[in-house]
Amino acid sequence: MAQLFTGLVCGSAERTQDIEFTIRSMDLLWQADTQTSWDEIAARFRSLPELTGDEEPPGLLAYAYDAAATLYYAALYRATGSLTDVTSCSNRALNSTGFISDKLGDDVNRYEIELQNQIADIALLSRVGNSARCDVIEAMRAHAQSLGRARLAELTSR
């Protein structure tokens, strides 16, 4: 989802700090043991223009809204440990992929693909021991980045 956010707002010079913040935060989100003020990171995500307006932005920026909301809930989970925040994060990612499929109308069910990826990631993390967890997380991150780049390319190529 970070790929969607940074890729869709990158055309605006005044968003450089938001993009840099998102990239730094993603690096932290993928680290299991980090001493970070997740409350502050969640609050910063919550203050992004996509999440402070009364309405979802129009056009492609609607996907930046979904991505920002997903990132916000991921950071909020790290701050609170609440499974409600995990559910909200998951739902935002699922909804976003469904909206992308609707927009593209190419009969690719991205919602189902995202759902199966989430289920597979949870299953994998539940099976792996702590000694292999870092390697698994790195592989999951690489896969997520690849999917994010593909979704961004699909959205922006039409």
Side-chain angles (χ1 to χ4, degrees):
M1 297 304 289
Q3 303 279 358
L4 282 175
F5 178 78
T6 59
L8 294 171
V9 302
C10 69
S12 177
E14 63 267 6
R15 300 302 301 274
T16 301
Q17 288 183 341
D18 293 338
I19 291 168
E20 290 172 355
F21 163 74
T22 299
I23 292 168
R24 282 192 314 273
S25 297
M26 285 309 301
D27 285 339
L28 293 170
L29 278 166
W30 283 101
Q31 295 175 24
D33 299 322
T34 180
Q35 299 299 321
T36 302
S37 177
W38 291 107
D39 289 328
E40 289 177 21
I41 290 175
R44 174 80 190 278
F45 275 125
R46 184 72 182 105
S47 72
L48 291 171
E50 289 75 17
L51 301 181
T52 55
D54 292 336
E55 296 180 11
E56 188 174 289
L60 289 180
L61 289 180
Y63 302 98
Y65 165 85
D66 289 330
T70 302
L71 299 170
Y72 163 71
Y73 284 116
L76 193 59
Y77 165 72
R78 293 294 298 266
T80 66
S82 170
L83 293 181
T84 300
D85 297 325
V86 171
T87 302
S88 295
C89 180
S90 171
N91 284 336
R92 287 297 186 158
L94 288 166
N95 289 339
S96 178
T97 55
F99 296 147
I100 292 170
S101 287
D102 291 345
K103 177 177 177 43
L104 298 178
D106 58 3
D107 295 325
V108 175
N109 190 340
R110 290 165 186 82
Y111 181 98
E112 185 63 29
I113 293 167
E114 176 64 22
L115 178 61
Q116 293 309 312
N117 283 330
Q118 288 185 21
I119 290 169
D121 288 348
I122 292 167
L124 180 59
L125 284 172
S126 68
R127 286 191 313 266
V128 71
N130 284 341
S131 61
R133 191 167 292 253
C134 288
D135 292 337
V136 168
I137 289 172
E138 274 305 310
M140 289 171 57
R141 181 180 188 178
H143 184 243
Q145 288 172 327
S146 176
L147 283 174
R149 280 190 295 275
R151 289 179 185 148
L152 177 62
E154 289 172 327
L155 268 177
T156 57
S157 67
R158 301 217 177 181

